Amino acid sequence: MNAAQLPPVAPEVTATLVEGLSPRLRKRLDAAVTKLAARPTHRDGDTATIEVDDETELRLYAPGGVVAKVEDITCGCLLAPACVHRAAAACAAPVADLAPELAEQATPEAPGPASATAPAAVGPDAAHALGLNVAPASGPDAATGVAANAAPGRAPSTAPAAATPHETASPDQRAAADALWSAGAAVLEAGVDGAGAVTQSALLRAAHTARLRHLPRAAGAALSVVTLLRAARAGNPSYRTAELVTALAELLGTAHRVGTASGAELAAVRGRVRRPYSPDGSLRLYGLFTEPVVTDSGHGGVRTWVAGADGRLFTVGDVAPGGAGRALGVADRAVRLGDSALTHRELGRAGLAVSGATVSPDGRLGAGKAVKAVTARGAAWTEPPLAALWGTPPAEQAARALRSTSRYADPDGTGSDLLFLDVELLGAVREPGGACLLAQCEGGVRVRLTVADDDPALAHRDNLALLAAAAGTRLRIIGRLVPATHPRLTLLACTHPTGEGTVDLGLDRLRRADLPDPSAPAHFAPPQPAGPGGPSPLYLLERRVEQTVPAGRAALGLLSDVTAETRRIRRGGLPTAAALLTALCASAAQRDRDLFGRLLPADTDGFAAYWLAAARYTAAVSESLCAAAWNATEGDQVAVPPVPVHDVAG
């Protein structure tokens, strides 16, 4: 059975079916999900049918595309409707969105609840990273422990609903947030291996309750965790542990802030379910480039970037099921915007005059019936208004892009992760994962340029290999920031090496004849250090944070001694990281006994609070190191820059 063949199931349906099972059947649920995955499935309109065995069929009815009622899942076995098959099918199917409209992606916030138990020996550094209002420790490390403040991912989410200045969460909202916290802490306790269908069901129930209590942001975070847990347990090759770390931190942090936020902060924590398109009048747009979009879920298409006369960036997209093949085909289809006959490729080099424009908070142009668009003259990258995009210093562009890609922040609906640079190509650089292209931009900053997509059907990798043979060539480029301890971009578009026109590096294929010296072999630049200041010992804490997710709290509890690691971290100038590692491992190993010597239940809330503080801290320092790297010239030592310190929850 392919999960993609099953219709999405509403969270409350899955939770209700699992909760209705007897304790004996709950123990068999994970095995039943695995067994169903091996059975034949076929889809006929709104109904998906799974052949449980030669005589029994299981049906999922999805009018409107979603299984919205418990009664819509039926089984023909003798034990139905109290059988395990119905719950197993719901657990195997994708999770439905929170509402018919696209739900806002959950954004992480602060560490765990203030009521969580914290070992007394943590000290001010760790207390500060946990979100307690204490005076900041001195030194660059303490200054960056709370720096992360931008929307996760590449697209900022919608602006939150308004709230009165002194408004606080209602008792029902606090109760819903507490349930989300407990469900997230249970996932950390069990790890991926132990977070089966029953644990996931608790998350789904908590997400449903949070949505009913008008907390879509926290509810969306819970659904993201469930989706990633299922991908991890199914061995999905696209799954990454770092993504689940971020999703769990989003869930726990958002759940905590519901109980402590007020006014505008509360509005940001609540979030919005709908992503509205608001009127933006008449726009004069100039094409920049078109990039192919291929997702792990099998969707494909393109996104064309355009700029307004005031420098604002907008996108026009067309993404649907189909993969890389569809991406290449859609590039030559007409843009769905007004009466324009331009294809996406053409729009990336031409212009549009739009009236009645509607724009989403992340810059997507709406294609409603009232929108009118006609073809207009474009502009070269060296002409106004586009030339101004390359006029901002690289460090300022990187700081802006970092705010857009940061994992932990209140959404503001603004910003872009694109950088516009003038560079000189230096040649290829060998890395553990392959080779990338080294270039030097303004101020002597050396930036590594990597492929945006490894799919062989796209032109990214071949074009990058050809450009490696053009050392010394000066290009104007557009790339997407990759947060790292050294300047790094995925290369999306550039001026043609001959100086005529531009190249969409995912769609257009360069030829060797396009190079200044067609006979030149690929040039490899001298080996580059990991960063001007050398590798940061922060990874010692990062790996413990990630280690918890697959194996649970017990993985850290088995560590005998981390003194050597904390000593190395302190030598690297990160005392907060050392304190957090010590406290995290101590909390994982702590198991108290009662008067009769029996083990008491583990303090899951306390451990979750320390884990969340460590996850938030490592992200903040990583982002600070990234920003510092873009400010460093060749030979400089990267120091963690000072950042205003308030409260980790901020």
Side-chain angles (χ1 to χ4, degrees), residues 107-141:
T107 0
E109 301 299 337
S115 60
T117 303
V122 175
D125 280 333
H128 186 72
L130 279 167
L132 307 179
N133 289 313
V134 298
S138 60
D141 176 65

Side-chain angles (χ1 to χ4, degrees), residues 29 107 242 269 294 315 329 338 571 607 620:
L29 182 55
T107 0
V269 173
V294 181
T315 60
R571 285 201 303 265
F607 176 73

Side-chain angles (χ1 to χ4, degrees), residues 89-103:
C91 292
V95 181
D97 287 337
L98 294 174
E101 301 247 351
L102 180 63

Side-chain angles (χ1 to χ4, degrees), residues 329-364:
V330 168
D332 294 312
R333 293 184 189 175
V335 173
R336 298 174 182 173
L337 193 66
D339 301 322
S340 172
L342 291 173
T343 67
H344 281 274
R345 284 181 191 265
E346 292 169 342
L347 176 58
R349 296 172 174 84
L352 278 180
V354 183
S355 63
T358 58
V359 183
S360 74
D362 58 0
R364 290 181 295 172

Side-chain angles (χ1 to χ4, degrees), residues 9-166:
V9 177
E12 62 271 24
V13 171
T14 303
T16 300
L17 288 172
V18 173
E19 291 163 0
L21 295 176
S22 66
R24 180 179 64 86
L25 290 180
R26 288 191 186 187
K27 294 179 180 179
R28 296 172 50 190
L29 182 55
D30 289 329
V33 174
T34 302
K35 184 177 179 181
L36 277 186
R39 300 302 302 167
T41 302
H42 63 272
R43 187 83 175 261
D44 183 11
D46 291 335
T47 303
T49 303
I50 305 173
E51 297 180 10
V52 178
D53 54 41
D54 294 339
E55 299 179 354
T56 306
E57 288 186 340
L58 182 66
R59 290 186 175 89
L60 290 81
Y61 177 56
V66 175
V67 178
K69 300 178 181 178
V70 173
E71 297 78 14
D72 290 339
I73 302 181
T74 60
C75 182
C77 74
L78 295 176
L79 297 178
C83 63
V84 74
H85 302 134
R86 298 170 68 218
C91 292
V95 181
D97 287 337
L98 294 174
E101 301 247 351
L102 180 63
E104 175 188 77
Q105 288 295 322
T107 0
E109 301 299 337
S115 60
T117 303
V122 175
D125 280 333
H128 186 72
L130 279 167
L132 307 179
N133 289 313
V134 298
S138 60
D141 176 65
T144 60
V146 293
N149 263 327
R154 295 174 182 166
S157 52
T158 59
T164 58
H166 302 293

Side-chain angles (χ1 to χ4, degrees), residues 162-549:
T164 58
H166 302 293
E167 182 181 355
T168 59
S170 68
D172 284 345
Q173 288 179 328
R174 295 185 184 213
D178 288 344
L180 284 169
W181 171 271
S182 298
V187 171
L188 272 181
E189 176 72 17
V192 170
D193 295 339
V198 175
T199 302
Q200 295 168 26
S201 171
L203 267 175
L204 293 175
R205 172 60 68 193
H208 175 60
T209 302
R211 178 174 65 87
L212 296 179
R213 301 291 182 264
H214 306 292
L215 298 173
R217 189 169 176 177
L223 298 190
S224 296
V225 171
V226 171
T227 299
L228 289 166
L229 281 173
R230 291 180 177 180
R233 292 174 62 86
N236 190 320
S238 65
Y239 166 76
R240 299 292 182 271
T241 300
E243 294 179 2
L244 185 51
V245 168
T246 299
L248 273 169
E250 292 174 1
L251 169 62
L252 295 171
T254 306
H256 163 59
R257 274 185 74 184
V258 168
T260 61
S262 62
E265 183 184 357
L266 176 62
V269 173
R270 285 173 176 166
R272 279 185 175 178
V273 172
R274 299 176 186 271
R275 185 186 296 274
Y277 282 78
S278 57
D280 206 339
S282 298
L283 296 173
R284 179 66 168 90
L285 304 175
Y286 300 85
L288 280 166
F289 71 100
T290 299
E291 63 170 322
V293 177
V294 181
T295 69
D296 294 328
S297 60
H299 288 66
V302 294
R303 181 188 298 116
T304 298
W305 289 80
V306 296
D310 57 358
R312 285 189 298 161
L313 299 181
F314 304 91
T315 60
V316 182
D318 186 345
V319 179
R326 186 179 189 279
L328 295 174
V330 168
D332 294 312
R333 293 184 189 175
V335 173
R336 298 174 182 173
L337 193 66
D339 301 322
S340 172
L342 291 173
T343 67
H344 281 274
R345 284 181 191 265
E346 292 169 342
L347 176 58
R349 296 172 174 84
L352 278 180
V354 183
S355 63
T358 58
V359 183
S360 74
D362 58 0
R364 290 181 295 172
L365 293 168
K369 295 181 180 179
V371 178
K372 306 296 181 184
V374 295
T375 304
R377 178 186 176 275
W381 287 3
T382 54
E383 299 175 351
L386 299 186
L389 296 171
W390 280 265
T392 304
E396 292 183 24
Q397 294 192 52
R400 180 211 64 221
L402 193 59
R403 289 192 296 270
S404 176
T405 59
S406 176
R407 286 171 282 179
Y408 307 110
D410 289 333
D412 59 7
T414 60
S416 165
D417 56 1
L418 299 184
L419 269 70
F420 303 83
L421 304 177
D422 288 305
V423 302
E424 179 182 348
L425 302 183
L426 302 179
V429 172
R430 292 185 176 91
E431 293 185 324
C436 67
L437 184 59
L438 186 68
Q440 183 165 294
C441 59
E442 179 183 328
V445 175
R446 294 190 172 186
V447 55
R448 301 186 187 208
L449 308 175
T450 64
V451 296
D453 196 307
D454 281 320
D455 194 308
L458 303 178
H460 290 293
R461 183 161 293 283
D462 291 342
N463 285 336
L464 200 73
L466 273 178
L467 291 175
T473 302
R474 296 191 62 84
L475 296 176
R476 180 159 279 193
I477 67 170
I478 302 176
R480 177 169 286 118
L481 179 72
V482 178
T485 55
H486 56 272
R488 194 177 189 90
L489 301 176
T490 55
L491 189 57
L492 301 173
C494 68
T495 51
H496 198 281
T498 62
E500 298 180 1
T502 61
V503 181
D504 296 336
L505 290 166
L507 300 172
D508 305 327
R509 291 191 178 272
L510 291 170
R511 298 172 298 175
R512 187 163 291 277
D514 295 325
L515 303 182
D517 183 1
S519 62
H523 174 76
F524 281 88
Q528 300 294 309
S536 168
L538 184 67
Y539 79 91
L540 295 170
L541 177 60
E542 287 177 323
R543 71 177 183 180
R544 298 307 183 193
V545 170
E546 290 198 3
Q547 185 179 1
T548 307
V549 171

